[in-house]
Amino acid sequence: MGRCILGLLTIINSANTIYLRHFHLTCLRLYFLLICIGLFYKLPAQQKPPGDGKIFGKIIDSLTKQPLEYCTISLVKKGENKVVDGTTSDDKGVFKISGIAAGDFNMVIFFIGYKTATVNLTISQSKPEVSLGAIKLVNKQLQLTEVLVVTEKSLIENKIDKMVYNAEKDITSQGGVATDILKKIPMVAVNADGSIELQGNSNIRFLINGKPSSVFGNSIADVLQTIPASQIQSIEVITSPGAKYDAEGTGGIINIILKKVTVQGINGSLSLTGGTRLENGSFNLAYRQGKFAMNTFLSGNGQLLSTTVNNLDRESTDHSSSLLQNGNSNFMRYGGQTGLSFEWEISKQNNLTGGFTYNNMANSNSGTTDRQTITRDSTGAILSNLSNAVFADNTFSAQTFDWNLNYKKKFKKEGRELDILYTASRSENYSYYLQTQKFISTDVIYNGSYGKNPGTDMQNNLSVNYIHPISEKFSFETGTKAILYQINNNSNVYLLNASSNDYFLNNSQSSSINYTRGVYSAYVSTTLKLKIFDIKAGIRDEYTETKANFSGVSNANINPYNTLVPSGVISRNFKNNHTLKVSYSYRIQRPDYRDLNPFLNASDPKNITTGNTALKPETAHNIDLSYSKFFEKGINISVNAFYRGNRADIQAYQQYYSNFLIGDSTYNNVTVSTRENIGREDNFGLNIFGSVNIKKKFNLRTNISAFQRYIYNSIVPGANINGFNYRINVNGSYQITETIIAEVFGNFNSPRINVQGKMPAFTTYNFAIRKQFYHNKMSIAFTTTNPFNKYVDQRTETTGTNFTLTSLKQMPYRSFGINFLWKFGKLEFKKQKDNEDANLTNPPVQGN
């Protein structure tokens, strides 16, 4: 298999030399060919089949009553022990088998993590159609008591189009935040600064409950570290999204699902965590009666004040300038969220849901840095040696309002559905900085500035999706969507007049932004179920129109562009519970307004940042070949070979200047960091995940991800680089008693290369133990992170055309915490059959 994967990756790399235009044209032709195949696939059904029998039904979870998609259904002829037909359930749990000859059969239903069910049935001439109604599959670890129902899901679930990490089962992360959960998920890497990568790519589309939010328009690392882990139910990872999904995000999609109770009655939970570095809490309350349900939550998170130690050494290539910095910064963060949502089943065919969420987050960072600047002549003799101290104070705050309304219409024909969704988000942001410089020898302030930066970010999304089953094994889906962004931002910079000790507004360093962007899209997608393979393919077309007014650049020249986005997946389910899948998706990463803004930010006078109005969108070809095998004794293995090919790759790029002019001010010996289309990046990798239960009490999980990265630099010809990157983690849990469980987690990320150097390695480890009591309604847990190391060392190396830079950041990471969890409410699980189910046959179902 390894040679096959290597051969496939080699072919992929060679194929990337083909022009993108020709590739898209080919995909378009293949797609319409697939539609024709699907339509003609109906023709045999119009001929006389071997039998007139039909079997149909729906597969659901016995507890939650939620549909189970992609269950494997096999029809076995009694007495022959031979599979005569089969199918898989769709995303609504519905299945149908037709053309069956008369006889007695066993229908076997398999789904990973559930007990296999067998249904005995008979097809006869007098009764050729058998309606099985709702078939309930039982979770393998289902436990029942008089007043409490506990369903134990697998920690990780592999589905045909995504991986699901059930955060509620992760006890070592419950006292932490969203990033503590993400670092345990296969294919996801979390760096020490909180930045996220998916299979080596940081351009990820983040969603909350399947919906976008402008809160992610700010620092994603800050946002994720203000969501308490106790508030998260699960996290979905989608590496090759289908045509229904927005094409944004070359790395893929991560969807964070917040806790929501779906059972009858009044239910809730309370979680409180106190610790030496992190504190958080969450409260959830749900009410469901009949066809109406409401959920509300309130949560908060705080990162206590901590000190980071920083060191930097920058040297010009000709040794004419050196910069040495040593300092520390004091950082703290807090955030809070609250929300209310409802679900109303108006009728069997009509459903309405909606919700409102409010997020508030803020952080502050202040500290002092001792700085030494040395200049030399051509002989190496020192011309000047200046030492000064820089004080910097930065604060940021944001509040975000999200709301949504979703209407779903089901038709009489099974599987036919209309979905209309409207979401809106408004974020109000404010940042402030103050920096002063003084000579250490005289203790006199000679330079300073401060800036105020208010802004608003508004998003509106409207989508319409329609699914139409053309035949039992062929369905058609289409939809359209409009996304509108509007961003306004002002930055007023005030410079110090050292003689008068007054600050005055400097127009040349101040800026304003008026930015709008519209993305208008439509897609078509088809699903074809053959006896051997399941095929899903689609094409999405996105038209992007951007208008930007930056101060100093009245009308940035950003031409509209159209993007054709093909995607497809072919999967095969084999006997003995193993699956093979190959998928492809084309993705795009549009530069945002900060990437484009030409404003020169000199809040750090030696390290200036700016945007680039000439940036082009980054595009990517993503290919995955995956294999998974599930064993009955709790052993699970998944192998994923992947290729990620980025074009017009966007990365941060630094250049050194001995003198740099901003307005009427000259800055000496500075680096200027901007965003550039650096060229092409190819990643060839392999991800292996394994899980095994040992004697029922001990569970061991491990994930190994490795990839070879090639960067082809178009800015500096010949400066191409490549490097090997890997990540390893191990997670073990031991059930000491029925109410006590212990867990340990360890993770190592290797150094990663970028276009100008190397990003740092990162090691973290956690220990936790949890005790349940009061009929398992309450629990208390002790958690610790990196208990034997106060700091995590982050060493960074950067090389430019005329400078080298090394830096060391020592980040405080050690923490201890205690978490208390209380689940309350009377859970009512009464059998409720709707009018349709009441008319269906209720067959005998036997669990194996």
Side-chain angles (χ1 to χ4, degrees):
M1 180 177 177
R3 292 182 178 178
C4 294
I5 293 173
L6 182 60
L8 176 65
L9 296 179
T10 303
I11 294 170
I12 292 167
N13 190 32
S14 301
N16 276 298
T17 59
I18 302 174
Y19 290 106
L20 185 61
R21 180 180 58 183
H22 294 166
F23 176 80
H24 280 161
L25 184 59
T26 302
C27 289
L28 186 62
R29 290 169 177 168
L30 288 174
Y31 175 70
F32 283 110
L33 178 61
L34 179 62
I35 292 180
C36 294
I37 292 172
L39 292 173
F40 281 109
Y41 190 80
K42 289 184 62 181
L43 293 179
Q46 296 172 354
Q47 301 171 2
K48 187 175 180 180
D52 297 326
K54 294 182 180 180
I55 304 171
F56 51 91
K58 184 176 182 179
I59 303 173
I60 63 174
D61 184 289
S62 64
L63 177 62
T64 66
K65 307 300 186 292
Q66 296 299 308
L68 298 176
E69 57 180 327
Y70 300 110
C71 297
T72 301
I73 299 114
S74 301
L75 191 64
V76 181
K77 180 77 171 177
K78 281 187 178 181
E80 298 180 7
N81 197 26
K82 173 183 171 184
V83 176
V84 296
D85 207 341
T87 186
T88 58
S89 59
D90 62 17
D91 57 355
K92 304 297 186 299
V94 175
F95 68 91
K96 187 174 183 180
I97 304 175
S98 62
I100 307 170
D104 297 325
F105 301 92
N106 288 328
M107 191 176 72
V108 181
I109 305 163
F110 168 78
F111 190 61
I112 293 176
Y114 288 78
K115 291 184 178 179
T116 300
T118 302
V119 180
N120 302 316
L121 55 91
T122 299
I123 299 291
S124 63
Q125 292 183 354
S126 60
K127 191 178 180 181
E129 295 188 5
V130 176
S131 175
L132 298 176
I135 301 174
K136 303 175 181 66
L137 292 193
V138 179
N139 192 286
K140 284 189 175 181
Q141 300 181 18
L142 185 66
Q143 301 173 353
L144 300 174
T145 68
E146 292 181 0
V147 295
L148 181 65
V149 178
V150 179
T151 176
E152 294 288 344
K153 294 182 178 180
S154 301
L155 182 65
I156 295 177
E157 297 178 275
N158 282 303
K159 299 189 176 182
I160 192 170
D161 60 343
K162 59 192 171 186
M163 174 179 288
V164 181
Y165 187 90
N166 292 305
E168 290 180 306
K169 286 184 61 62
D170 184 356
I171 69 168
T172 62
S173 299
Q174 289 304 302
V177 292
T179 48
D180 295 309
I181 298 176
L182 285 165
K183 67 185 179 184
K184 297 184 179 181
I185 301 177
M187 299 181 290
V188 178
V190 179
N191 301 318
D193 60 0
S195 59
I196 311 295
E197 294 181 356
L198 180 55
Q199 292 181 328
N201 193 321
S202 60
N203 295 324
I204 305 167
R205 172 77 161 169
F206 278 90
L207 304 174
I208 295 180
N209 293 331
K211 302 174 182 67
S213 173
S214 61
V215 69
F216 289 116
N218 303 301
S219 168
I220 291 177
D222 285 341
V223 174
L224 294 175
Q225 294 190 53
T226 58
I227 303 176
S230 57
Q231 184 62 32
I232 299 173
Q233 176 175 309
S234 62
I235 295 179
E236 299 175 347
V237 177
I238 308 171
T239 56
S240 295
K244 183 178 180 179
Y245 293 96
D246 296 337
E248 184 76 18
T250 52
I253 295 173
I254 292 180
N255 183 23
I256 299 174
I257 307 296
L258 302 182
K259 286 184 176 178
K260 179 181 178 181
V261 179
T262 59
V263 297
Q264 295 289 321
I266 298 176
N267 313 276
S269 65
L270 174 68
S271 176
L272 298 172
T273 300
T276 59
R277 192 171 70 93
L278 297 173
E279 294 182 341
N280 66 60
S282 66
F283 172 76
N284 295 269
L285 184 64
Y287 168 79
R288 178 178 288 272
Q289 187 65 43
K291 297 182 179 181
F292 185 78
M294 293 189 69
N295 283 264
T296 186
F297 73 92
L298 174 67
S299 64
N301 167 270
Q303 180 174 327
L304 305 181
L305 186 66
S306 60
T307 301
T308 299
V309 180
N310 300 283
N311 297 281
L312 181 145
D313 184 353
R314 189 184 70 210
E315 186 82 19
S316 63
T317 305
D318 60 4
H319 304 291
S320 62
S321 173
S322 299
L323 174 68
L324 303 174
Q325 290 186 170
N326 296 281
N328 58 70
S329 58
N330 300 310
F331 180 82
M332 65 181 300
R333 175 194 291 117
Y334 71 86
Q337 305 86 30
T338 186
L340 177 69
S341 63
F342 75 90
E343 180 180 359
W344 179 25
E345 188 180 347
I346 303 171
S347 66
K348 288 181 57 58
Q349 284 78 35
N350 298 277
N351 184 275
L352 187 67
T353 60
F356 172 82
T357 303
Y358 170 75
N359 291 271
N360 186 288
M361 55 181 287
N363 62 63
S364 64
N365 191 357
S366 62
T368 302
T369 300
D370 292 333
R371 175 182 292 161
Q372 182 181 14
T373 305
I374 303 172
T375 59
R376 306 176 183 86
D377 62 18
S378 59
T379 66
I382 295 177
L383 298 177
S384 64
N385 189 342
L386 301 177
S387 296
N388 61 352
V390 180
F391 170 78
D393 183 17
N394 296 271
T395 61
F396 172 80
S397 63
Q399 56 179 350
T400 304
F401 308 86
D402 297 326
W403 57 98
N404 66 84
L405 191 64
N406 187 198
Y407 169 73
K408 291 186 178 181
K409 167 72 175 178
K410 295 183 179 179
F411 297 86
K412 290 183 179 180
K413 185 174 184 179
E414 191 70 46
R416 186 183 173 198
E417 183 175 296
L418 175 68
D419 189 310
I420 303 174
L421 172 64
Y422 171 72
T423 67
S425 182
R426 176 181 173 86
S427 182
E428 299 174 355
N429 312 313
Y430 180 80
S431 61
Y432 169 85
Y433 84 87
L434 167 68
Q435 67 88 13
T436 58
Q437 303 176 58
K438 65 180 181 180
F439 293 115
I440 295 178
S441 58
T442 61
D443 198 34
V444 174
I445 295 176
Y446 68 92
N447 189 292
S449 66
Y450 74 87
K452 299 177 180 179
N453 183 201
T456 59
D457 183 347
M458 185 72 188
Q459 293 185 28
N460 285 277
N461 298 258
L462 178 62
S463 63
V464 179
N465 300 292
Y466 174 71
I467 304 173
H468 188 90
I470 297 175
S471 70
E472 300 164 7
K473 298 186 177 182
F474 181 71
S475 64
F476 173 82
E477 182 177 357
T478 187
T480 184
K481 185 174 185 178
I483 307 175
L484 303 177
Y485 302 86
Q486 184 172 357
I487 298 168
N488 295 289
N489 192 288
N490 294 289
S491 180
N492 295 319
V493 177
Y494 298 81
L495 301 183
L496 175 66
N497 185 329
S499 59
S500 64
N501 203 31
D502 292 327
Y503 288 85
F504 64 93
L505 177 65
N506 185 290
N507 290 320
S508 64
Q509 294 195 28
S510 299
S511 71
S512 63
I513 301 171
N514 187 342
Y515 177 92
T516 61
R517 186 172 76 191
V519 180
Y520 310 95
S521 60
Y523 76 94
V524 289
S525 177
T526 57
T527 301
L528 179 62
K529 294 185 177 182
L530 305 175
K531 289 186 177 181
I532 300 177
F533 297 106
D534 286 349
I535 303 174
K536 187 168 186 177
I539 287 183
R540 186 180 186 90
D541 188 77
E542 294 191 345
Y543 178 79
T544 306
E545 189 175 45
T546 305
K547 295 181 180 179
N549 292 317
F550 302 114
S551 56
V553 183
S554 58
N555 289 294
N557 185 23
I558 304 174
N559 295 322
Y561 52 91
N562 194 77
T563 309
L564 190 64
V565 185
S567 62
V569 56
I570 301 174
S571 64
R572 169 74 187 272
N573 292 322
F574 297 90
K575 295 181 181 179
N576 302 322
N577 310 331
H578 57 122
T579 303
L580 183 67
K581 180 181 70 173
V582 60
S583 61
Y584 167 82
S585 66
Y586 183 76
R587 308 289 294 167
I588 184 173
Q589 184 68 36
R590 301 174 180 89
D592 65 19
Y593 74 97
R594 281 165 297 208
D595 295 330
L596 299 169
N597 187 7
F599 166 62
L600 291 157
N601 185 343
S603 58
D604 183 345
K606 294 295 183 181
N607 300 281
I608 297 169
T609 59
T610 185
N612 179 2
T613 57
L615 274 181
K616 299 177 181 178
E618 173 186 318
T619 59
H621 299 278
N622 296 348
I623 300 177
D624 291 89
L625 175 63
S626 61
Y627 170 82
S628 60
K629 169 72 174 176
F630 179 79
F631 300 86
E632 291 186 356
K633 294 185 178 181
I635 301 175
N636 188 13
I637 185 170
S638 177
V639 180
N640 180 59
F642 63 89
Y643 166 75
R644 298 291 181 266
N646 296 350
R647 304 297 178 266
D649 193 39
I650 299 175
Q651 291 191 26
Y653 198 82
Q654 296 184 40
Q655 290 181 290
Y656 168 78
Y657 298 88
S658 57
N659 297 286
F660 193 81
L661 184 65
I662 303 179
D664 54 3
S665 302
T666 300
Y667 293 79
N668 300 318
N669 302 315
V670 301
T671 54
V672 177
S673 178
T674 186
R675 304 283 283 175
E676 296 283 356
N677 294 115
I678 59 96
R680 169 179 166 180
E681 178 180 303
D682 289 331
N683 293 285
F684 300 85
L686 188 68
N687 186 87
I688 302 174
F689 168 78
S691 175
V692 58
N693 292 323
I694 303 174
K695 295 184 179 180
K696 296 184 179 180
K697 288 190 175 183
F698 182 64
N699 178 264
L700 182 65
R701 298 177 298 276
T702 185
N703 178 240
I704 302 173
S705 182
F707 60 92
Q708 182 73 23
R709 171 171 290 171
Y710 298 88
I711 298 177
Y712 303 93
N713 193 331
S714 63
I715 298 176
V716 182
N720 302 331
I721 58 173
N722 67 84
F724 183 70
N725 310 263
Y726 63 95
R727 169 180 177 260
I728 301 174
N729 67 47
V730 178
N731 198 171
S733 60
Y734 183 73
Q735 192 78 43
I736 301 173
T737 68
E738 290 185 357
T739 59
I740 301 176
I741 186 172
E743 191 166 308
V744 61
F745 172 78
N747 179 80
F748 174 75
N749 289 358
S750 74
R752 283 101 52 223
I753 65 167
N754 57 31
V755 68
Q756 286 188 291
K758 186 180 294 185
M759 300 298 291
F762 175 46
T763 302
T764 183
Y765 52 96
N766 306 75
F767 301 97
I769 186 168
R770 181 178 66 183
K771 164 68 177 176
Q772 292 180 313
F773 53 95
Y774 191 50
H775 305 291
N776 292 339
K777 288 186 175 182
M778 294 184 180
S779 68
I780 188 167
F782 170 78
T783 62
T784 179
T785 301
N786 286 33
F788 306 116
N789 303 87
K790 182 178 180 180
Y791 295 107
V792 169
D793 291 346
Q794 295 284 277
R795 301 181 185 275
T796 303
E797 302 173 3
T798 304
T799 302
T801 55
N802 56 357
F803 77 98
T804 58
L805 183 151
T806 58
S807 66
L808 171 63
K809 179 183 289 186
Q810 294 181 294
M811 303 179 63
Y813 216 75
R814 180 167 60 194
S815 67
F816 301 90
I818 296 178
N819 171 259
F820 169 77
L821 176 64
W822 173 37
K823 297 180 180 180
F824 59 89
K826 183 180 179 181
L827 306 183
E828 301 174 2
F829 293 97
K830 295 181 179 179
K831 181 182 284 188
Q832 294 186 348
K833 296 181 70 65
D834 53 35
N835 295 332
E836 180 182 4
D837 288 342
N839 297 323
L840 297 177
T841 304
N842 190 15
V845 178
Q846 303 169 348
N848 291 338

